Structures are given as structure tokens and as C-alpha cells.
Amino acid sequence: MALALISASPARAYDTPSVQGQSAASNAVAPSAVTLSVMTYNIEGLPWPVRRHRGGALKRIGHELAAMRAKGVEPDVVLIQEGFRDTVWAMVDESGYPYVARGPRKGQRDGNVVPADKRPDFRRVKYRQKGEGLGKWGSSGLWVLSNYPIEEVSSHAYRYCAGLDCLANKGVMLASIQVPGLPVPVEIANTHLNSRGASGVPRSRATQAHHLQVDELKQFMQADRTPGAPLIVGGDFNVMHSADRFDYVMSEYPFEVVSRWCHQRPKACATQISYDGDAPWLGTQDLIGFLEGDAVKIRPVAVEATFDGADEPVLSDHDGYKVTFTLTPRG
């Protein structure tokens, strides 16, 4: 497998980490437990002319994150999707996060990691008028912002895609983050999978590409993840109203999806987000999941929407989705 290994701060380094990112809730848990909040947010940072007048909104996102930091309620880790514009650097600077990592760049090309027995007859260029075969016009758009040191980052650019999604170098990144109070780093993955209607191609083709990307995601995680490490997975999975897509993501890689875990245990999570129906995990494109480690237990304790017009303004076509976890060293 071809992997891209980049430094903890691949494009910019900061000298002094912030300590304001620790949630006030950390004072209310047992001394052996650590609180970690993670937000996934598709910021709609698509380039001109696909999206116009987004520069101001992106800078405003940074301003709002800085305001959250001033109150001590900012997420400890932010997973960004669609961070294509150069304006994202201004957003990062404004937000105040001391550690920053990026996912696959525009020119990154990785090998075919999907097992031969799982590859159908998929023509990689079929709808050229919808963007296939025209090259990559942008990076993966993936970023990780962290209050805590990012020790190592690996990434993989997806080989398969469908429609307009092919113009971006979509993929997955895995960051190893050293959280104070834990004996081992927490590994946090960020990804963005192929869309459906927005891809501009027939749904069957978009879904086929989505499944192939999921296969690549699983292969990457199995090969590059540290065995037994505590894991948090987040991003734009493009599974909204699609049980087929969701089930394929969950097959063979059994991390727990927070919205489903909390829905099944309503007293375990302080849920400050509205869910419709019996399967709230299908009511959104954005998911966060977790997998316990050999040395660290993980439990989600709070779920909330951000940038939804309540405490923060609506600045994207997605809300932010924030989960607070308690992580407890075993033994």
C-alpha cells in the first residue's frame, strides 16, 4: 500500500500549545478519566466558481472558533472537510489551534489498495462531462486542528470516484494525538466519501464508487492504524437517508457510531441535538465513531450541534457535529 506520511504540522508549526481547549467538564469527572471533545464540520470551502463568496464565511468560522476558545468551550479537535480554499489558512490562524495537519494534497496518488476479489468492473472514466478523467482540481480538503500535539499523520488518496467528486482528491487521514493524562496516543481519522446526487452521475455509479472508497478506507485503517490504539473516526460519510451506504461502511469494520450508540443508551449521553425517526444516524451525512483501545476505554457522554444558528451562526451547508468523550486508562 502506498501511504503518504507527513509531519505533525505539515505546512505550519506553532511553538506554544494552547491549554484553553480543555473542557470545563474535565473537572467533573474522575481523576483517572480524561475529557476529549471532537467536532466534525464540512465547511463548504469549495473553490470559485463552484461556490462564490465563501471567503468571508470561512474567516467567520475561524472567528467563531476563537470566540468558543475564549469561553473555554471550543472542541479539543476539529475535523474539517471541503477545506479547499486558500482562505482556510486564515480560518486556522483566526481559530487559534496550535497544531494543524492536512490530508492528501492535490498531487498525491496512492496505489490500488482494494483486494482484487472486491473490485467490480468499474470504468474509472465514464462520465467525462461530469468531471471524470479531467484530473484533480483540488486537494482532499481534509484538515485536523488540535489543542494537543499531533505526533504523526498518514494519509491515503482514494483511487476510485464518480462524477464531480473526481475533481477533488478525496481520501482519508489518520492523526496520532497525544492527549495529556493518557498512556498512549489517541488515533483520530478524518474522511470524506463520494456524494450521491451532487456527483451528477447516476445513483448506482455514485454508490458503487462510495463502496469502493469504503473498501479503501478499511484497508488503509487495517494497514496503518496502530493495533490496540484508541480510535475516533469522523467526517462526511455521505450516508444520509441511505441504509445501504451506512451498512456497507459498518460491515467488517465494527467501530461504534456515536449517534446509534447513544440512541440505544439514552441515559448514557447528554444529547443536545434533535433526531428524527428511529435511525438518527441516517439523518445526517456527518458521523463520528469510536473504538476502545487495549489501554484506554472510550465513552461518548455528550452530543451537540454547532454552527446551527443557536450559539454560532450558520456558515455552511452542514452544521458542526460535536461529541465529548471520556477516555479512561485501563487498570
Side-chain angles (χ1 to χ4, degrees):
M1 176 189 300
L3 301 178
L5 184 64
I6 54 181
S7 64
S9 296
R12 186 165 304 185
Y14 297 78
D15 295 328
T16 306
S18 167
V19 297
Q20 293 177 299
Q22 298 184 22
S23 168
S26 61
N27 296 323
V29 298
S32 60
V34 171
T35 299
L36 181 72
S37 57
V38 179
M39 181 180 77
T40 184
Y41 191 22
N42 183 321
I43 61 173
E44 198 184 358
L46 297 169
W48 181 92
V50 181
R51 290 288 188 278
R52 301 185 181 189
H53 311 299
R54 290 297 300 157
L58 298 182
K59 291 179 182 178
R60 180 81 183 278
I61 290 172
H63 175 79
E64 293 297 329
L65 287 171
M68 295 166 74
R69 178 178 296 278
K71 298 176 183 177
V73 297
E74 87 282 13
D76 296 314
V77 179
V78 180
L79 309 180
I80 294 292
Q81 303 88 45
E82 291 193 5
F84 298 115
R85 288 175 175 244
D86 291 340
T87 320
V88 174
W89 277 121
M91 183 200 80
V92 171
D93 287 340
E94 180 70 21
S95 72
Y97 281 90
Y99 300 99
V100 182
R102 296 180 67 181
R105 308 296 180 90
K106 178 180 177 180
Q108 181 173 328
R109 301 290 182 269
D110 293 329
N112 187 353
V113 300
V114 183
D117 60 351
K118 299 194 72 173
R119 292 197 302 269
D121 181 16
F122 185 86
R123 289 173 52 191
R124 293 182 62 192
V125 180
K126 187 176 181 180
Y127 293 93
R128 189 174 294 272
Q129 72 277 17
K130 293 297 183 180
E132 297 179 3
L134 301 182
K136 303 299 181 182
W137 294 8
S139 68
S140 64
L142 300 177
W143 299 69
V144 172
L145 317 182
S146 176
N147 279 335
Y148 305 126
I150 300 175
E151 295 189 338
E152 189 175 9
V153 180
S154 57
S155 65
H156 171 76
Y158 294 139
R159 173 184 175 89
Y160 295 101
C161 59
L164 295 171
D165 285 52
C166 294
L167 297 176
N169 203 24
K170 284 189 172 182
V172 56
M173 62 184 297
L174 182 68
S176 179
I177 297 179
Q178 186 62 63
V179 179
L182 295 181
V184 295
V186 178
E187 295 191 339
I188 301 183
N190 182 18
T191 191
H192 191 183
L193 297 173
N194 211 99
S195 64
R196 286 193 296 174
S199 68
V201 298
R203 180 164 296 189
S204 60
R205 179 168 177 80
T207 297
Q208 192 178 27
H210 181 275
H211 286 1
L212 286 166
Q213 289 180 356
V214 171
D215 290 338
E216 292 188 66
L217 168 65
K218 294 174 182 178
Q219 289 292 311
F220 169 79
M221 296 294 287
Q222 290 168 3
D224 209 62
R225 181 174 165 257
T226 304
L231 174 69
I232 295 174
V233 182
D236 184 346
F237 284 80
N238 271 307
V239 296
M240 189 172 183
H241 305 317
S242 177
D244 173 62
R245 285 185 169 217
F246 178 85
D247 291 344
Y248 199 86
V249 169
M250 295 305 296
S251 66
E252 301 178 21
Y253 200 84
F255 60 81
E256 297 276 3
V257 170
V258 169
S259 52
R260 185 165 68 174
W261 193 91
C262 291
H263 185 72
Q264 294 170 346
R265 302 165 181 82
K267 295 183 179 180
C269 302
T271 303
Q272 304 175 34
I273 192 170
S274 59
Y275 288 135
D276 296 325
D278 296 328
W281 48 92
L282 297 181
T284 178
Q285 310 284 27
D286 310 303
L287 299 176
I288 292 179
F290 66 99
L291 188 63
E292 290 191 343
D294 293 343
V296 177
K297 296 189 294 186
I298 304 179
R299 288 290 183 271
V301 294
V303 179
E304 60 184 295
T306 57
F307 293 94
D308 62 341
D311 295 328
E312 302 86 30
V314 176
L315 296 172
S316 172
D317 55 357
H318 288 239
D319 293 343
Y321 176 52
K322 178 183 174 185
V323 176
T324 301
F325 297 92
T326 56
L327 298 93
T328 309
R330 296 185 187 275

